[in-house]
Amino acid sequence: MSVLDILTFPDPFLKQRAKPVDNVDDSLQQIIEDMAETMYQAPGVGLAANQAGIDACIIVFDPNTDEQSRDFQVLINPVIIETQGRVVSENEGCLSVPDLRSDVPRFERVVVEGLDRRGNPQKIDATGFLSTILQHEIDHLNGILFIDRISALKRQIYKRKRLKEIK
Ligand code: NI
């Protein structure tokens, strides 16, 4: 297993839509293990493959922040098929958006379909923290960062600060 490098804003790869996986095979297993290790090491509660420079619709997530009970889940080609209600997630952050936390408008409940790491169909009906994580990670696969969902003013302030820092 190895820890992967996480791309950060404004890397253009993060703005691209990730490619759907058309064959769930053994070659994916190592990528999935590496993604999970990268997520835990960061530490984070979710990671999309394209954040690690991998062009594939895969997310790993583990809403349980207790180190003793690590048990990550995988979704390949996840799609939100149903949404309900509106909430504002508090203090959302992202491994690809350093030094920023913000409230973000989200759906209260989402139903997500995808495949598990063996290619079996999965359906997750999520509310609360898990719902926010799934929306955040699926956004990544669509080339969307959480700063794309906050106010234009906040986004501008962050972009300016960040671009100055990395100059
Ligand atoms: Ni993120």
Side-chain angles (χ1 to χ4, degrees):
M1 294 219 292
S2 47
V3 173
L4 308 166
D5 285 335
I6 297 176
L7 305 179
T8 54
F9 176 84
D11 193 306
F13 194 71
L14 294 167
K15 299 292 285 177
Q16 285 179 32
R17 236 170 230 279
K19 230 190 268 158
V21 173
D22 46 34
N23 204 5
V24 179
D25 57 21
D26 282 352
S27 70
L28 285 190
Q29 306 309 315
Q30 187 61 51
I31 290 172
I32 290 166
E33 289 299 323
D34 289 348
M35 283 175 62
E37 194 180 355
T38 304
M39 171 181 75
Y40 286 127
Q41 155 97 25
V45 291
L47 188 78
N50 53 342
Q51 286 183 275
I54 299 163
D55 192 7
C57 285
I58 305 172
I59 61 173
V60 296
F61 52 97
D62 185 352
N64 193 339
T65 49
D66 175 9
E67 259 187 53
Q68 304 306 314
S69 48
R70 282 180 170 176
D71 184 22
F72 72 91
Q73 290 186 74
V74 180
L75 274 181
I76 297 168
N77 300 340
V79 180
I80 295 172
I81 57 159
E82 204 182 318
T83 63
Q84 192 180 36
R86 300 274 178 173
V87 286
V88 174
S89 69
E90 277 177 39
N91 264 332
E92 208 172 308
C94 177
L95 299 173
S96 295
V97 183
D99 307 319
L100 183 71
R101 293 218 156 244
S102 178
D103 295 352
V104 181
R106 294 290 185 191
F107 296 112
E108 184 177 16
R109 170 176 167 254
V110 290
V111 180
V112 176
E113 275 185 353
L115 304 173
D116 71 8
R117 61 188 298 175
R118 301 289 161 203
N120 301 309
Q122 294 294 301
K123 193 176 195 176
I124 300 178
D125 190 331
T127 55
F129 193 34
L130 180 59
S131 172
T132 296
I133 294 172
L134 289 170
Q135 291 171 72
H136 180 116
E137 301 311 330
I138 292 170
D139 268 354
H140 273 301
L141 298 179
N142 290 318
I144 298 167
L145 298 175
F146 85 94
I147 47 173
D148 298 320
R149 297 199 181 278
I150 63 179
S151 77
L153 178 64
K154 262 188 159 172
R155 182 167 55 247
Q156 272 318 110
I157 292 170
Y158 177 75
K159 282 188 179 175
R160 222 173 286 151
K161 184 169 149 271
R162 174 85 180 138
L163 295 177
K164 208 181 283 174
E165 274 169 8
I166 61 171
K167 208 162 42 188

